[in-house]
Amino acid sequence: PAGTEVAGNVSELLSKSSYPSRVVLYAGRALLARFPRAVQNSSRKLLKKSGVIIKEEGHLLSIQDNCLRFDSGFEEQADFILLATGVHPSPFFAEAGLRTGPEGGLLVNSRLQCSEYPEIFGGGDCICFEDQPLDKVGVYAVRENPVLFHNLKAFLQEEALQDFDPGGDYLLIFNLGNGLGVLRKKWFQISGKLAFMIKDWIDRKFIKDFK
Ligand SMILES: Cc1cc2nc3c(=O)[nH]c(=O)nc-3n(C[C@H](O)[C@H](O)[C@H](O)COP(=O)(O)OP(=O)(O)OC[C@H]3O[C@@H](n4cnc5c(N)ncnc54)[C@H](O)[C@@H]3O)c2cc1C
């Protein structure tokens, strides 16, 4: 999804300059493969409308002298390359001998605490939540924050720790550039200007609360 958002927004920026440009999104084998079909279709439509060329030629193997090589044998030259190949926690945890999840994230229990070393707590993209796998989105990092803060203080003061409840399905909104977005929550989905406006309002309000 990061590549999709970046491609749409880079395309918008370049459309405002006088330089001739071509934005190509290499989307693995299928655009937004792990998202529902309706989200894929709407995103594809909006990106194409913004002039983004979508290629689903397989996974990138190497980049050499600005030549992209894919596992399908496809090759292409690019002037400027932005990588968005997914979030992977640092190998630091495994190297330090701590228990990790399948992607290398620090394994934490329901109290966001490392079971073997109870003085270690974690949250956000770098953890693997033992109870259920969580998407690497800021929504969870933000929801974890007050529990993490409470538990760090409680641990030091030898008080009761809180459990983290990930909550239900979260509101997903992609910002695809040019003031357009795709919004999904459970069965409900909209795309276009309104979806972007809702995201923009939520994000600005969130930032304003910190000022
Ligand atoms: C393009 C894009 C769009 C996104 N949009 C959304 C969205 O709309 N909604 C949403 O919920 N989520 C979104 N996400 C995901 C969201 O940004 C992450 O899930 C969230 O930022 C995770 O928070 P975090 O604190 O765990 O990690 P981060 O925000 O990545 O913070 C980690 C920090 O640690 C620092 N750091 C790293 N290594 C070290 C080190 N060795 N020493 C010291 N500091 C270090 C980094 O510089 C960074 O500042 C988006 C992600 C991307 C890439």
Side-chain angles (χ1 to χ4, degrees):
T4 308
E5 291 197 304
V6 170
N9 282 278
V10 166
S11 175
E12 179 188 348
L13 282 175
L14 289 172
S15 70
K16 291 174 185 161
S17 84
S18 54
Y19 295 104
S21 59
R22 206 171 71 105
V23 177
V24 183
L25 170 61
Y26 299 97
R29 269 179 255 290
L31 180 75
L32 299 170
R34 66 185 176 86
F35 290 89
R37 183 59 60 91
V39 171
Q40 294 173 7
N41 292 344
S42 304
S43 303
R44 186 183 296 275
K45 209 170 116 193
L46 294 183
L47 287 172
K48 281 190 173 170
K49 200 171 156 187
S50 300
V52 175
I53 301 160
I54 301 166
K55 297 202 177 178
E56 290 148 307
E57 303 287 350
H59 292 119
L60 185 66
L61 285 181
S62 67
I63 305 171
Q64 210 171 11
D65 300 326
N66 280 32
C67 178
L68 305 159
R69 288 195 178 82
F70 295 84
D71 57 4
S72 57
F74 176 75
E75 291 186 7
E76 195 157 56
Q77 205 73 24
D79 295 323
F80 196 87
I81 301 159
L82 292 167
L83 285 178
T85 51
V87 179
H88 301 283
S90 157
F92 168 80
F93 300 117
E95 285 166 14
L98 297 165
R99 279 180 66 214
T100 56
E103 291 179 341
L106 176 72
L107 204 63
V108 294
N109 60 24
S110 60
R111 294 176 296 262
L112 302 175
Q113 182 184 34
C114 175
S115 298
E116 306 160 275
Y117 298 94
E119 66 277 25
I120 299 178
F121 290 81
D125 284 357
C126 73
I127 60 159
C128 173
F129 189 58
E130 237 169 18
D131 291 9
Q132 66 178 89
L134 299 176
D135 288 345
K136 299 206 182 310
V137 289
V139 173
Y140 289 125
V142 169
R143 286 181 189 170
E144 285 159 2
N145 197 35
V147 177
L148 205 50
F149 184 52
H150 170 90
N151 285 354
L152 283 168
K153 284 193 299 181
F155 183 80
L156 292 171
Q157 291 161 359
E158 296 181 0
E159 289 170 4
L161 302 184
Q162 284 177 358
D163 280 329
F164 170 66
D165 174 9
D169 195 14
Y170 58 87
L171 175 69
L172 172 92
I173 314 180
F174 292 144
N175 164 5
L176 297 180
N178 290 304
L180 302 170
V182 173
L183 175 155
R184 184 192 66 92
K185 171 93 178 174
K186 293 184 179 157
W187 49 265
F188 180 72
Q189 195 207 305
I190 53 167
S191 60
K193 282 195 165 42
L194 182 61
F196 173 82
M197 280 162 69
I198 295 170
K199 179 174 176 61
D200 197 49
W201 181 80
I202 293 171
D203 288 353
R204 284 180 195 280
K205 186 176 174 303
F206 181 77
I207 296 295
K208 204 172 148 203
D209 289 346
F210 281 94
K211 283 189 177 167

